[in-house]
Amino acid sequence: MNGLAAFSLWAQKNRWVWSAIGVLLLWLVLSVVTNRFSLSSLSGIMLSASFLTVVGIGQMFVVTTGRGNIDLSVASVITLSAFVALLTIKGQDANLAIGVGAAILLGLAIGGLNSLLVVGLNIPAIIATLATGYVLATATLLSNRTIAGFAVSPLLKTLATGRIAGVPIMAAIAIVGVAATSFVLRYTVFGQLLSAVGQNRTAARLAAIRNNRVIASAFIISSVLASLNGLLLGAYIGGAFLEMGQPYLLQSIAAVVLGGTLIFGGSASAVGTLFASILLILIVTTMQIVGLPPGAQDIVQGIVVIFVLALAGRQVLSRRAAVDRTDDDGTLKSEPNAAAVRRQ
């Protein structure tokens, strides 16, 4: 086996490598073209990408559950959480614990609602989370009317904007979160159950896995991370405004898909989500340097997502075709063997 074939085989198991290569290439191109990009400028990009990574990891858990599940409520959760933080913390470090607790409770409540709609009422995730987002938008409008002014906790501001030895604290938080998520996905029971449910819910159910609990947990994790991200994002920008979380809706999905997580579920990559988040920020930075208007930037990002989804769809179809080859007795390999199931 030559080096190219070996790399291709390795890349199939480590799909995050493509987003990492994209980051490296685009950063080098921008460095040559602008003569301004350096390690310090990359750290600034990492800071912006850190917020996207936090939301992307939550979105990744939902996508991994399979059947095209995505969480469209994350944008509204981010915005509402920022307003809740302003109302509870009131710019004082003494109230920081209350604000963090409120953000977590908000995420738990919204995640629980999404789980009830998707798991309990069997409403498609796209429709359920979109409806939840509309409800949260109304709550955000009501919160906006009660805000007298913007005041950010100094400690929270330090976490969101501070640096240690030139490294953004938020970047360190995101990297630690990615490492923890990777450990959960690979070495814990929950990670194995999540992959099993995403790959084949029928087989998972036959293996005595409680699918509904796993799926509900994914939606709760997504909402909690989005809520905590709104708390930190509000501190980063120094306040809150309507639809401040809107850019993260499309970007969080793009980060998950670009990072190597299969859109049809069953396989996730936290490391890939991190690299893809950096890549998306670099793409946005490039478009801003070129001078594209915001609307055109959204179009470009949408095209990128569609392109990657198309490639992912072809990959999944080819895998299914390989799996569905018949045995000598004419039984499809993808179908569970009834005799084996009875023996279990």
Side-chain angles (χ1 to χ4, degrees), residues 24-73:
L24 180 61
L25 293 178
L26 188 54
W27 179 50
L28 290 176
V29 169
L30 289 175
S31 300
V32 173
V33 172
T34 64
N35 293 320
R36 292 184 299 171
F37 278 77
S38 60
L39 289 178
S40 59
S41 63
L42 184 61
S43 69
I45 291 174
M46 268 295 301
L47 176 58
S48 299
S50 299
F51 295 99
L52 177 57
T53 300
V54 174
V55 185
I57 289 175
Q59 189 76 260
M60 180 197 69
F61 276 100
V62 174
V63 172
T64 308
T65 60
R67 296 193 178 181
N69 285 348
I70 57 175
D71 188 354
L72 296 182
S73 67

Side-chain angles (χ1 to χ4, degrees), residues 36-301:
R36 292 184 299 171
F37 278 77
S38 60
L39 289 178
S40 59
S41 63
L42 184 61
S43 69
I45 291 174
M46 268 295 301
L47 176 58
S48 299
S50 299
F51 295 99
L52 177 57
T53 300
V54 174
V55 185
I57 289 175
Q59 189 76 260
M60 180 197 69
F61 276 100
V62 174
V63 172
T64 308
T65 60
R67 296 193 178 181
N69 285 348
I70 57 175
D71 188 354
L72 296 182
S73 67
V74 292
S76 298
V77 174
I78 291 173
T79 305
L80 181 58
S81 178
F83 278 99
V84 170
L86 289 174
L87 290 171
T88 55
I89 300 177
K90 300 177 181 178
Q92 300 178 14
D93 288 341
N95 298 327
L96 184 56
I98 299 175
V100 173
I104 293 175
L105 288 176
L106 176 66
L108 290 173
I110 298 172
L113 175 60
N114 286 334
S115 301
L116 176 63
L117 296 176
V118 175
V119 175
L121 301 180
N122 292 320
I123 299 176
I126 294 178
I127 298 175
T129 56
L130 181 63
T132 301
Y134 283 131
V135 174
L136 297 180
T138 302
T140 302
L141 288 173
L142 296 176
S143 300
N144 186 44
R145 295 177 182 177
T146 62
I147 295 292
F150 298 112
V152 179
S153 162
L155 179 56
L156 193 61
K157 185 76 172 179
T158 300
L159 290 176
T161 63
R163 295 171 181 262
I164 298 178
V167 178
I169 297 176
M170 264 302 302
I173 293 174
I175 292 173
V176 171
V178 168
T181 303
S182 298
F183 178 84
V184 169
L185 291 174
R186 186 168 184 177
Y187 297 107
T188 68
V189 174
F190 176 74
Q192 300 302 316
L193 295 180
L194 186 69
S195 296
V197 171
Q199 291 172 9
N200 192 320
R201 293 190 184 182
T202 301
R205 186 175 64 253
L206 291 174
I209 296 176
R210 298 180 177 179
N211 295 352
N212 290 345
R213 288 190 177 184
V214 176
I215 297 170
S217 299
F219 279 99
I220 291 174
I221 291 172
S222 177
S223 294
V224 170
L225 289 179
S227 185
L228 290 174
N229 188 73
L231 178 78
L232 293 167
L233 184 61
Y236 176 72
I237 65 178
F241 58 90
L242 298 177
E243 297 187 359
M244 63 179 286
Q246 197 61 34
Y248 292 90
L249 176 57
L250 178 62
Q251 288 185 344
S252 66
I253 301 172
V256 172
V257 178
L258 284 173
T261 297
L262 296 182
I263 192 64
F264 295 102
S267 180
S269 174
V271 175
T273 302
L274 171 63
F275 281 120
S277 298
I278 300 174
L279 178 60
L280 287 171
I281 298 299
L282 280 171
I283 292 174
V284 172
T285 302
T286 302
M287 292 188 291
Q288 291 174 346
I289 293 175
V290 174
L292 290 180
Q297 295 180 25
D298 292 338
I299 292 175
V300 171
Q301 293 182 68

